[in-house]
Amino acid sequence: MADPELDFQCGESGASSTYPMQCSALRKNGHVILKGRPCKIVEMSTSKTGKHGHAKVNLTGMDIFTNKKYEDMCPSTHNVDVPVIKRRDYQVVNIQEGFMSLMDDNGDIREDLRVPEGEVGKDIQTKFDAGEEITVTVLAAMGEECAIGVKGCSSK
């Protein structure tokens, strides 16, 4: 009989989607979690120490998926969460009903990613409709994925 405490049927690798970093170690164009969203830091400034002894860091970031602007302030000595971001390129095989069929370098196909809204989505659709071979760059962080860039393949 199996011991229920030793029955591991979890599909997770156990890896975290974020890691801590001291606020003062963050840099412009880096990434940070602001208001629970993964953001690219577009502006940051540090104020002088006040009567309570902590310098404050003012952070302004753009959500990497929605481009919405977020701002936050934290003491420079405190830790903030930084998202683990993965970037992969896929070849677009097909677009059907708003979903892209994407092939990675190993030849594996995935069909679970929508054509994004906005300029990138229009660019993908236009190039695909024109019969171009295109590659999309997919950004993944905190359980979300989105195509953020498109380029033509040079393999023709």
Side-chain angles (χ1 to χ4, degrees):
M1 192 153 143
D3 186 354
E5 290 187 31
L6 297 177
D7 191 15
F8 300 107
Q9 291 187 355
C10 181
E12 296 282 325
S13 65
S16 176
S17 60
T18 63
Y19 60 93
M21 182 183 276
Q22 192 167 342
C23 203
S24 60
L26 295 171
R27 297 288 171 253
K28 191 173 175 181
N29 293 327
H31 294 92
V32 68
I33 305 291
L34 296 176
K35 311 285 191 225
R37 300 289 304 161
C39 296
K40 182 174 185 172
I41 301 169
V42 293
E43 201 173 301
M44 66 184 288
S45 62
T46 307
S47 65
K48 292 192 183 330
T49 56
K51 66 178 182 177
H52 297 293
H54 286 289
K56 298 267 195 289
V57 177
N58 296 309
L59 294 167
T60 304
M62 300 293 276
D63 189 310
I64 60 176
F65 298 118
T66 64
N67 277 337
K68 189 174 175 192
K69 188 176 180 179
Y70 290 96
E71 294 183 30
D72 203 1
M73 183 185 295
C74 70
S76 63
T77 56
H78 287 203
N79 280 352
V80 291
D81 286 331
V82 176
V84 175
I85 296 178
K86 292 186 176 90
R87 172 178 292 218
R88 292 194 63 188
D89 288 339
Y90 293 93
Q91 184 175 349
V92 178
V93 179
N94 193 15
I95 297 177
Q96 191 171 9
E97 297 176 16
F99 284 90
M100 297 181 285
S101 293
L102 304 173
M103 183 170 63
D104 66 9
D105 294 337
N106 300 331
D108 297 328
I109 302 281
R110 59 178 290 188
E111 298 174 322
D112 59 341
L113 208 59
R114 280 193 173 281
V115 176
E117 302 285 323
E119 207 59 43
V120 175
K122 289 177 190 165
D123 201 16
I124 292 170
Q125 192 68 53
T126 304
K127 288 183 178 190
F128 180 77
D129 291 343
E132 291 183 45
E133 277 191 35
I134 55 174
T135 301
V136 294
T137 301
V138 176
L139 215 57
M142 297 177 63
E144 284 186 65
E145 288 184 299
C146 185
I148 57 145
V150 60
K151 58 185 177 239
C153 291
S154 57
S155 60
K156 275 193 168 181

